[in-house]
Amino acid sequence: MSLPVPADSLFAFLTLATTGGVLVGLRRSLHLSYLLAAQKRRTYRTALGVAAGWLLLTAGLAFSGILQDWSALPPRMALVILPPLVALVLLLRSRRVGALLDVLPLWALVAPQVFRVLVEVLLWLLYEQGRLPIQMTFEGRNWDIVVGLTAPLVAWLAARKPAGIELALVIWHIAGLLILSNIVVVALLSTPSPLRQFWNEPANTVIADFPWVWLPGVLVPVAYTLHALALRQLLRRRNVA
């Protein structure tokens, strides 16, 4: 199966669109917050600069070929994977982020997860083109599409706020993190590195190429950050109640 527009271009567009959507959501939450106007401007400009800089930096790493050295220890992909994890820790500890979470409706951190459906479709297209191992698709060991497919329904329920919805959301977000962790591990064990455990071909080398470097560098972090922030939001609501 092939598309008139290459999967690479579609993936690049999806990444930029998702990043733009996150920034729009941030701007909306800042507008609703009780932060001072100067704080709002500074926060948004910082987020915009960090997002643009990270997109350019990860793209530069891919074009440089540094990430293609799969024999290196520690793995070169750590340059892409670790910084977003550090950023997440900082976000979870930030009081300003907590203030923004307090004004966001419960569904706002759920609905954006629908982008994972498109990611899985594009990964499947890569497999069909012989560029990705089957275990990284929904025909193999990747069940991430379930999170994306259920996101609209869960967001709708969160907006309606039926009894028990907060517990259901906690379960859904934790399940989403576990499903995401599963495919991250599978992806790493499918690379031609000393960590490799899946020996079917092709090996998972596409994540070191542009634009697919944005999968571990941008879209996966967006997914787990949404889950983590939503859990913090739910915890804050419980502490207030």
Side-chain angles (χ1 to χ4, degrees), residues 86-148:
V86 174
L88 175 60
V89 173
L90 296 176
L91 289 175
L92 292 176
R93 292 172 59 88
S94 168
R95 292 183 180 181
R96 186 170 298 182
V97 169
L100 295 179
L101 292 176
D102 290 340
V103 301
L104 278 179
L106 292 174
W107 60 265
L109 294 172
V110 176
Q113 297 279 11
V114 72
F115 82 87
R116 288 155 79 165
V117 175
L118 300 177
V119 171
E120 297 311 313
V121 170
L122 292 175
L123 291 180
W124 179 76
L125 286 174
L126 283 189
Y127 162 68
E128 288 290 301
Q129 296 169 4
R131 299 169 60 192
L132 198 72
I134 190 172
Q135 64 266 20
M136 288 188 61
T137 73
F138 49 72
E139 290 189 11
R141 295 173 178 263
N142 186 353
W143 309 297
D144 204 54
I145 195 171
V146 174
V147 181

Side-chain angles (χ1 to χ4, degrees), residues 115-236:
F115 82 87
R116 288 155 79 165
V117 175
L118 300 177
V119 171
E120 297 311 313
V121 170
L122 292 175
L123 291 180
W124 179 76
L125 286 174
L126 283 189
Y127 162 68
E128 288 290 301
Q129 296 169 4
R131 299 169 60 192
L132 198 72
I134 190 172
Q135 64 266 20
M136 288 188 61
T137 73
F138 49 72
E139 290 189 11
R141 295 173 178 263
N142 186 353
W143 309 297
D144 204 54
I145 195 171
V146 174
V147 181
L149 289 173
T150 57
L153 174 60
V154 175
W156 178 76
L157 290 172
R160 292 180 62 87
K161 300 180 182 178
I165 187 58
E166 293 193 3
L167 176 59
L169 286 173
V170 169
I171 294 172
W172 187 81
H173 285 297
I174 292 176
L177 283 171
L178 292 175
I179 290 172
L180 186 63
S181 299
N182 165 73
I183 186 53
V184 169
V185 171
V186 169
L188 292 175
L189 297 182
S190 299
T191 60
S193 70
L195 302 175
R196 188 174 187 180
Q197 296 297 317
F198 293 94
W199 296 95
N200 56 310
E201 296 295 339
N204 175 27
T205 60
V206 72
I207 58 172
D209 299 331
F210 180 82
W212 299 97
V213 67
W214 285 343
L215 179 58
V218 178
L219 293 188
V220 168
V222 166
Y224 65 62
T225 298
L226 288 172
H227 283 311
L229 292 178
L231 289 171
R232 184 185 177 189
Q233 180 190 49
L234 291 164
L235 180 61
R236 289 175 66 89

Side-chain angles (χ1 to χ4, degrees), residues 18 64 70 81 157 217 223 232:
T18 301
S64 73
W70 296 104
I81 295 172
L157 290 172
R232 184 185 177 189

Side-chain angles (χ1 to χ4, degrees), residues 19-126:
T19 304
V22 169
L23 290 170
V24 169
L26 172 62
R27 190 164 191 171
R28 175 62 176 168
S29 63
L30 286 169
H31 176 72
L32 295 173
S33 75
Y34 297 103
L35 296 175
L36 298 176
Q39 292 177 313
K40 294 178 181 181
R41 289 193 297 271
R42 185 162 54 249
T43 300
Y44 183 75
R45 289 171 182 171
T46 299
L48 181 61
V50 169
W54 183 242
L55 285 167
L56 292 173
L57 177 59
T58 47
L61 288 172
F63 282 122
S64 73
I66 291 176
L67 303 177
Q68 294 289 353
D69 183 1
W70 296 104
S71 63
L73 284 176
R76 294 288 176 81
M77 287 304 299
L79 296 171
V80 173
I81 295 172
L82 293 182
L85 288 171
V86 174
L88 175 60
V89 173
L90 296 176
L91 289 175
L92 292 176
R93 292 172 59 88
S94 168
R95 292 183 180 181
R96 186 170 298 182
V97 169
L100 295 179
L101 292 176
D102 290 340
V103 301
L104 278 179
L106 292 174
W107 60 265
L109 294 172
V110 176
Q113 297 279 11
V114 72
F115 82 87
R116 288 155 79 165
V117 175
L118 300 177
V119 171
E120 297 311 313
V121 170
L122 292 175
L123 291 180
W124 179 76
L125 286 174
L126 283 189

